[in-house]
Amino acid sequence: MATLPLGIKTQTQKLCNLYKRAIRNLESYYDRRHVFRFQAVLLRDRFDKIAALQDQREFNQRLKEEEDSLFAIIHPIPKKFPLSPGGVAYARVVTPPDWVLDYWHPLEKAQYPEYFKRREERKKEFVALWEKEFGKDEPKDKHH
C-alpha cells in the first residue's frame, strides 16, 4: 500500500527510519538470537558513526550508501508481525454486521431481553432520523 509523505523528514528521522528497516531485514535473515544480536551491534556501530558526522554532504553520501546496501541485501520473504498487514493473522477475526441479529430465532433473542429491547428502540430512532432527513420511501407501483 502506497502512502503519501505528510511532511519533510529531518536527516535524523531518515537515519532512524533506515536503521529500523535494516534491523527488520536482519531479523528476517537470522533466526538464532546470538547471531542476530552480533549483526545488530555491528549495524548499530555503522549507524552511530554516520550519526556522528558533522559534514552534511558526507552524511547524505553515507546515508545513500547504506540505503543502497540495504536494497542490495533485502530479504526476499521478509518477516512480518502476525497482526500486521501481510501477517498470517491479519484481519482473521471477522466482525459480523449488525443485520445478522435480525435473523436470530426469538428463543435466542429471549436470552438477552434488555439488549434487544434497546436495539429495537434504536432501530426505530434511526428510521425516524432517516425519514426526517431523506423523506419516506414511496412505493414504486401505486396501482396495486
Side-chain angles (χ1 to χ4, degrees):
M1 172 169 38
T3 58
L4 296 173
L6 298 175
I8 298 173
K9 289 187 178 181
T10 65
Q11 297 293 4
T12 307
Q13 289 173 330
K14 289 179 184 177
L15 186 69
C16 289
N17 185 289
L18 180 63
Y19 175 72
K20 185 173 181 177
R21 288 186 288 146
I23 282 289
R24 294 292 181 214
N25 190 51
L26 281 179
E27 286 177 347
S28 297
Y29 274 108
Y30 300 107
D31 60 342
R32 301 285 182 214
R33 185 75 179 158
H34 63 283
V35 178
F36 164 74
R37 286 305 309 151
F38 178 73
Q39 294 297 327
V41 167
L42 295 177
L43 181 72
R44 179 61 187 254
D45 183 53
R46 285 199 332 251
F47 275 82
D48 283 343
K49 287 178 182 172
I50 295 172
L53 292 174
Q54 297 296 323
D55 184 19
Q56 195 65 36
R57 281 185 281 164
E58 188 176 352
F59 180 92
N60 290 335
Q61 179 186 359
R62 293 280 304 273
L63 189 65
K64 179 78 171 110
E65 289 172 2
E66 285 296 329
E67 284 178 346
D68 293 341
S69 69
L70 176 62
F71 181 76
I73 62 167
I74 199 81
H75 197 278
I77 307 170
K79 190 187 250 185
K80 298 192 179 190
F81 294 107
L83 298 175
S84 297
V88 295
Y90 179 69
R92 181 179 285 180
V93 178
V94 178
T95 305
D98 184 63
W99 58 262
V100 172
L101 295 174
D102 292 333
Y103 291 96
W104 277 27
H105 190 274
L107 291 175
E108 292 175 310
K109 290 181 180 181
Q111 295 177 3
Y112 308 98
E114 297 88 16
Y115 174 80
F116 281 97
K117 179 183 174 193
R118 184 179 306 144
R119 186 171 183 274
E120 289 302 320
E121 292 170 3
R122 289 190 176 156
K123 281 170 52 178
K124 289 176 186 171
E125 290 173 8
F126 180 78
V127 169
L129 285 172
W130 178 271
E131 289 174 350
K132 179 181 174 187
E133 187 171 342
F134 299 107
K136 289 192 175 192
D137 191 21
E138 296 290 329
K140 293 188 181 198
D141 192 21
K142 292 185 178 183
H143 298 292
H144 294 333

